[in-house]
Amino acid sequence: MSQLDLRALRAELERDEKRCLKPYIDTEGNTSVGVGRNLTAVGISDSECDFMLENDIAKALRLLDRNLPWWRQLEPVRQRVLANMAFNLEYRLFTFKKALAAMEARDFSKAAEEMLASKWAVQVGERAQRLAKMMRTGAV
């Protein structure tokens, strides 16, 4: 019995299914992504979800490190607030100029106030309330 050539199979599947890094609607009307992954019928596994989450957290932390050199000097709870917002907002976080300036100045009440006075706060509701409280108090 001969060995299946997985490398050749992968190349053939990528050629036939195409590699698509954003969701698309396939010929049957299913939402798919990657190399023919039918998200509608199959979804993703817990390990795939964990893998994507870890990658997305790392991306948010890199975004903060590149753009806000002071953020790692904050207390851990306040770092988590910024990381949570960066995860959710990506580059839109930098439109929070007054909130970020208040954080950098360590005026956490003002930062929380500015966070809550945003369209984002309306959109995410309880999440914004919780994160603003964490920013204000430095506690969970």
Side-chain angles (χ1 to χ4, degrees):
M1 185 167 188
S2 59
Q3 186 73 18
L4 174 64
D5 186 343
L6 290 175
R7 200 171 80 197
L9 176 60
R10 179 184 172 133
E12 290 165 357
L13 289 171
E14 287 195 38
R15 179 194 62 221
D16 295 337
E17 295 281 347
K18 307 295 183 253
R19 173 182 287 264
C20 194
L21 303 181
K22 292 188 177 182
Y24 64 94
I25 305 301
D26 70 13
T27 58
E28 296 293 319
N30 297 304
T31 300
S32 297
V33 72
V35 180
R37 170 61 70 89
N38 181 334
L39 292 175
T40 302
V42 178
I44 62 174
S45 69
D46 280 332
S47 63
E48 289 165 326
C49 183
D50 291 342
F51 181 77
M52 288 191 297
L53 177 59
E54 292 303 319
N55 283 341
D56 291 345
I57 289 170
K59 179 181 171 188
L61 300 181
R62 285 191 306 272
L63 180 74
L64 291 169
D65 286 338
R66 279 193 310 270
N67 294 281
L68 303 176
W70 50 265
W71 87 279
R72 293 221 185 236
Q73 304 309 311
L74 298 175
E75 296 82 0
V77 169
R78 291 181 172 120
Q79 287 180 13
R80 285 204 330 261
V81 170
L82 265 174
N84 190 312
M85 292 178 74
F87 182 95
N88 180 236
L89 294 161
E90 296 180 332
Y91 281 97
R92 291 172 296 156
L93 172 64
F94 305 119
T95 65
F96 286 67
K97 294 183 186 316
K98 292 179 184 176
L100 293 171
M103 290 174 203
E104 185 175 14
R106 303 186 71 76
D107 184 349
F108 301 119
S109 291
K110 177 70 172 169
E113 179 183 310
E114 292 295 334
M115 289 165 62
L116 293 174
S118 68
K119 178 181 175 183
W120 167 80
V122 173
Q123 292 171 329
V124 301
E126 188 276 325
R127 180 184 197 169
Q129 296 294 323
R130 186 179 75 264
L131 293 177
K133 180 180 177 191
M134 291 167 64
M135 181 57 68
R136 186 180 306 103
T137 65
V140 179

